[in-house]
């Protein structure tokens, strides 16, 4: 939010520099993120002065140029070559002296230098209004008033404004500070704490007067819950034209584009007092009726931006006798806006239900200055006052007349919140005694009324504009921010208790696995849990009807909660590949969300993604692709790192993976991994193979053995390796060989490794050859040949019997 310092000074006559004021605002909770300079004309016309043309003669070497001498208030007049057709002797003109920097409309700078034009020296430039940034005309030079003194800076002549603008990072709860007056009100409280009593000046509406009652409209509200207060008045005989310079400067300083004097006045009051207003062209209001109501679902309505929108049945609308005119509190309609032809207006000031406005704004993807304030809650007691303020301002700058009584529909008056504040609670939360007189002074500066005082505490009445202060703790927070967080002393002693935490806590296991994966080249990613229903439909295994849909989505692209984590992962991979980062390994801890017929389910997952090469090509070794078996080793080692070593595998189901496995333990699926189906990766413009693993983290946590790590000494006796070359059926996999080996020899067998696979014409049809190594070791003695041969014989018999294997 932008706050003009000059505008702020209209409410508080303060002589602090902007940095000092910014520091106090930040201490008060209105964090100033930056201070921007603003000038009506860039450069503020520094170096441009009033000059008088003493002589004006034809240039000796050019038909379209004049040779002039100009008095610029210095000891000697200067010679200037000028090409303007209207330059003449005796004129007072703006002169850009040598060294002056001027700016184009695009903001590019150029400097006036001494030079020669067609052989004659020129010591400056007599300027047209577009060259100074004061207008668009370039028909000739500007001719100034004869009453001006030569040498007077033109910045003073044109009353240019220089301002400083605070960029305030406003928190959502501070609806009261969404205006210059609101910020000034907070600043006054902070200054009082520093023993500076400065009056807060409120714009007067005492001279509000009804000229006649010639334009009366019938105003009604059908649902007072959606529009608790609605005010309006008509203004006639106005002239719509550009706004005066002072108003243009105020709006431009805070980044608004002026439109016309009527619309600018409503925007001015919005940013001055925080009350949104809307002006309707009264001649376009059919039936002289204004009705605040909802319309049937599907009603078409074109807004000011020229977009036709389809209304929801809960959208509150401002209508006339036959059609909608405006989306209440959000955006106006194209047919009743103020134009140059407007002669009379109906001016609206209202309080709309914040929840209703927020939902409507989100549904239509609109975020306006009005909806920003209505969503957070404005001051309902200020509605009529701001209407009068805006009406008087419009009258002043348009010459209009107020031609109706104020309509004020406020059937159910809201009472101010009342809170009882206990002194003990203040001490408990702040941790420091604050004098009671100081507390009362701060409350008074915040316009919080003390209703009664007891030994235990105070009964308080909260002003209506503080919609965020409804509890005792809210009041304490207000006291503390004005008292100053920096004024709370630190204790010399800090007490803390250490709670015993199991190393098997979820977050500790996540840290352990995160370190494990990082050591293997994986990078952690964090993606949004929200996605588009269209994305969910890309996966055939998912049911869009089971999506958890947001009631008030930020956008249609973020309107459903994800049912799988692969879509976010593929988006991340696609993003990186498009930026020439093709060798990727990612992991993410996250949740998926499902809306089943009988309940909603939230599951925690760990997903892994890998694509590209697993190592870079070098002189000693070529690049190797990240393949299924590398990925499988990562998955299995991850489970073993958690202490889960007993699991079986089976082919994955569904269409997500073109080839993959599921690892199962105790009839529960721990993880499913494999190669992502190309039909899915293609939809994300990913052309290279992607490997994906989805761990059911909730199940894994339950299965992690809660046993302490046991340590053992390094074996003193050597290990022994023996190999088999087995001729097997093609249907046999290595896991069967592995499991049979350990079932046959449980004590001395430590490792089984497949180091070669051969298939070819030299083997019988339907056969393959596996070269398998077996590692044996006894931690008590050296193995003898007799022991080794006995074990290998048992293994051979088992393989022949159970797998039909033959030794080659």
């Amino acid at each position: 939010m932008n706050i003009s310092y000059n505008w702020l000074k209209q409410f508080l006559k303060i002589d602090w520099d902007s940095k000092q004021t910014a520091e106090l605002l930040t201490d008060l909770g209105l964090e100033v993120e930056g201070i921007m300079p603003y000038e009506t004309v860039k450069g503020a016309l520094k170096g441009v002065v009033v000059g008088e043309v003493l002589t004006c003669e034809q240039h000796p070497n050019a038909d379209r140029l004049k040779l002039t001498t100009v008095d610029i208030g210095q000891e000697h007049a200067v010679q200037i070559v000028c090409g303007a057709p209207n330059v003449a002797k005796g004129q007072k003109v703006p002169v850009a002296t040598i060294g002056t920097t001027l700016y184009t409309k695009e903001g590019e700078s150029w400097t006036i230098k001494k030079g020669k034009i067609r052989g004659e020296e020129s010591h400056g430039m007599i300027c047209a209004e577009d060259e100074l940034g004061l207008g668009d005309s370039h028909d000739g030079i500007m001719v100034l008033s004869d009453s001006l003194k030569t040498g007077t800076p033109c910045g003073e002549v044109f009353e240019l404004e220089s301002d400083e603008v605070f960029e305030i990072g406003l928190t959502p709860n501070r609806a009261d500070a969404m205006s210059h007056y609101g910020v000034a009100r907070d600043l006054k409280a902070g200054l009082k704490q520093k023993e500076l009593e400065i009056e807060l000046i409120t714009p007067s509406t005492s001279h509000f007067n009804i000229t006649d009652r010639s334009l009366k409209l019938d105003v009604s509200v059908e649902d007072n819950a959606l529009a608790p207060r609605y005010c309006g008045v008509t203004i006639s005989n106005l002239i719509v034209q550009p706004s005066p310079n002072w108003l243009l400067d105020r709006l431009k300083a805070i980044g608004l584009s002026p439109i016309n004097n009527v619309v600018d006045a409503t925007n001015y009051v919005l940013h001055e007092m925080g009350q949104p207003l809307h002006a309707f062209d009264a001649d376009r209001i059919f039936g002289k009726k204004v009705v605040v109501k909802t319309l049937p679902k599907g009603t078409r309505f074109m807004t000011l931006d020229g977009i036709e929108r389809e209304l929801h049945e809960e959208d509150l609308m401002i209508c006339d006798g036959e059609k909608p005119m405006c989306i209440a509190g959000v955006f106006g309609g194209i047919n009743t806006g103020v134009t140059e032809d407007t002669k009379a207006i109906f001016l609206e000031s209202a309080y709309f239900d914040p929840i209703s406005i927020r939902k409507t704004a989100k549904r239509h993807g609109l975020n306006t200055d009005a909806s920003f304030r209505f969503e957070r809650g404005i001051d309902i007691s200020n509605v009529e006052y701001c209407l009068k303020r805006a009406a008087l301002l419009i009258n002043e700058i348009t010459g209009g007349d107020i031609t109706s009584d104020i309509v004020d529909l406020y059937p159910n008056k809201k009472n101010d919140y009342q809170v009882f504040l206990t002194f003990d609670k203040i001490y408990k939360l702040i941790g420091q005694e604050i004098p009671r007189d100081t507390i009362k002074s701060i409350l008074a500066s915040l316009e919080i009324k003390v209703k009664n005082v007891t030994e235990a505490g105070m009964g308080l009445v909260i002003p209506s504009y503080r919609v965020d202060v409804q509890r005792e703790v809210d009041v304490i927070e207000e006291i503390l921010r004005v008292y100053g967080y920096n004024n709370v002393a630190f204790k010399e002693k800090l007490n803390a208790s250490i709670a015993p935490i199991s190393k098997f806590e979820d977050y500790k296991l996540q840290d352990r696995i995160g370190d494990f994966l990082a050591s293997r080249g994986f990078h952690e990613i964090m993606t949004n849990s929200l996605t588009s229903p269209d994305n969910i439909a890309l996966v055939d295994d998912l049911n869009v009807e089971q999506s958890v849909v947001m009631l008030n989505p930020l956008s249609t692209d973020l309107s459903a909660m994800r049912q799988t984590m692969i879509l976010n992962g593929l988006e991340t991979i696609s993003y990186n590949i498009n930026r020439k980062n093709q060798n990727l390994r990612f992991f993410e801890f996250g949740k998926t969300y499902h809306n089943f017929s009988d309940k909603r389910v939230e599951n925690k997952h760990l997903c892994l993604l890998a694509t590209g090469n697993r190592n870079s090509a070098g002189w000693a070794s070529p690049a190797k692709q990240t393949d299924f078996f590398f990925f499988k080793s990562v998955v299995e080692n991850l489970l073993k790192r958690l202490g889960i070593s007993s699991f079986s595998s089976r082919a994955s189901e569904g269409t997500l993976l073109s080839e993959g496995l599921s690892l199962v333990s105790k009839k529960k699926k721990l993880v499913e991994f494999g190669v992502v189906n190309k039909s899915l990766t293609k939809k994300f413009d990913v052309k290279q193979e992607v490997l994906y693993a989805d761990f059911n983290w909730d199940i894994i946590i339950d299965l992690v053995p809660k046993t302490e790590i046991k340590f053992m000494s390094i074996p003193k006796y050597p290990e022994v390796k023996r190999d088999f070359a087995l001729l097997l059926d093609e249907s046999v996999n290595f896991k069967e060989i592995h499991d049979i080996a350990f079932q046959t020899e449980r004590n001395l067998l430590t490792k089984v490794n497949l180091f070669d696979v051969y298939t070819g014409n030299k083997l019988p049809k339907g056969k393959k050859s596996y070269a398998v190594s077996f590692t044996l070791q006894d931690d008590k003695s050296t193995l003898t040949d007799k022991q080794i041969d006995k074990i290998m014989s048992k293994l051979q018999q088992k393989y022949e019997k159970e797998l039909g294997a033959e030794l080659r």
Side-chain angles (χ1 to χ4, degrees), residues 396-416:
E396 176 188 337
I397 61 179
T398 67
D401 301 314
I402 296 173
T403 51
S404 76
D405 291 312
I406 289 179
V407 176
D408 186 3
L409 304 180
Y410 191 15
N412 304 310
K413 188 172 182 180
K414 288 191 174 183
N415 296 320
D416 292 337

Side-chain angles (χ1 to χ4, degrees), residues 20 35 53 116 125 196 204 350 370 430 433 494 510 535 566 581 589 599 610 628 649 729 740 751 759 784:
Q20 191 177 5
I35 303 175
V53 181
K116 280 189 175 183
M125 184 175 77
L196 291 172
S204 173
I430 297 178
E433 290 280 0
L494 180 65
Q510 287 190 33
N535 276 357
I566 180 111
N581 189 13
F589 289 97
K599 61 180 178 179
F628 177 85
S649 64
D729 292 337
I740 289 173
K751 192 185 300 181
T759 57
T784 64

Side-chain angles (χ1 to χ4, degrees), residues 493-516:
K493 184 180 179 183
L494 180 65
N495 297 323
S497 58
I498 300 175
I501 300 174
S502 168
K503 64 181 180 181
F504 299 105
E505 290 287 340
D506 187 352
Y507 76 94
K508 283 192 170 286
L509 292 176
Q510 287 190 33
D511 286 344
R512 189 188 306 173
I513 293 305
D515 291 341
F516 168 83

Side-chain angles (χ1 to χ4, degrees), residues 439-451:
I439 292 173
K440 291 177 183 178
S441 174
I442 291 173
L443 292 173
S445 68
L446 293 170
E447 299 181 11
I448 297 176
K449 297 177 183 177
V450 179
K451 191 175 181 181

Side-chain angles (χ1 to χ4, degrees), residues 613-758:
N613 295 329
R614 68 198 222 197
N615 67 286
S616 300
W619 69 270
S621 60
K624 292 183 180 179
Q625 189 176 2
T626 302
D627 58 15
F628 177 85
F629 295 101
F630 167 78
F631 200 63
K632 178 174 179 284
S633 70
V634 174
V635 170
E636 291 182 344
N637 286 325
L638 187 152
L639 292 174
K640 290 175 181 177
R641 181 68 182 86
L642 290 170
I644 302 174
S645 56
S646 177
F647 47 79
S648 60
S649 64
R650 65 188 184 201
S652 63
E653 300 174 352
T655 60
L656 178 64
L657 304 176
S658 58
E659 51 182 299
L661 292 175
S662 295
L663 301 186
V664 180
S665 178
K666 297 180 181 179
K667 298 183 179 180
K668 294 180 179 179
K669 184 165 73 173
L670 303 178
V671 57
E672 186 173 16
F673 65 95
V675 180
V676 181
N677 201 310
K678 288 185 178 180
S679 63
L680 181 58
T681 57
K682 185 179 179 181
K683 293 172 182 175
F684 290 85
D685 199 27
V686 176
K687 298 176 182 178
Q688 58 195 55
E689 184 178 83
V690 177
L691 294 145
Y692 172 70
D694 181 15
F695 292 83
N696 295 312
W697 190 250
D698 292 320
I699 294 174
I700 287 173
I701 288 177
D702 291 338
L703 294 178
V704 171
K706 307 297 190 291
T707 55
E708 295 296 324
I709 295 175
K710 294 181 180 180
F711 297 89
M712 61 180 65
S713 59
I714 297 173
K716 297 179 181 179
Y717 303 99
E719 62 182 24
V720 178
K721 286 189 177 181
R722 292 288 187 269
D723 300 338
F724 275 164
L726 300 172
L727 185 64
L728 303 159
D729 292 337
E730 285 186 345
S731 61
V732 176
N733 58 49
F734 173 68
K735 181 170 175 46
E736 294 177 85
I737 297 172
H738 179 277
D739 292 347
I740 289 173
F742 280 101
Q743 289 168 11
T744 304
E745 178 53 55
R746 300 178 184 272
N747 298 322
L748 301 179
L749 182 64
T750 61
K751 192 185 300 181
V752 179
N753 182 50
L754 175 66
F755 63 89
D756 186 43
V757 177
Y758 175 72

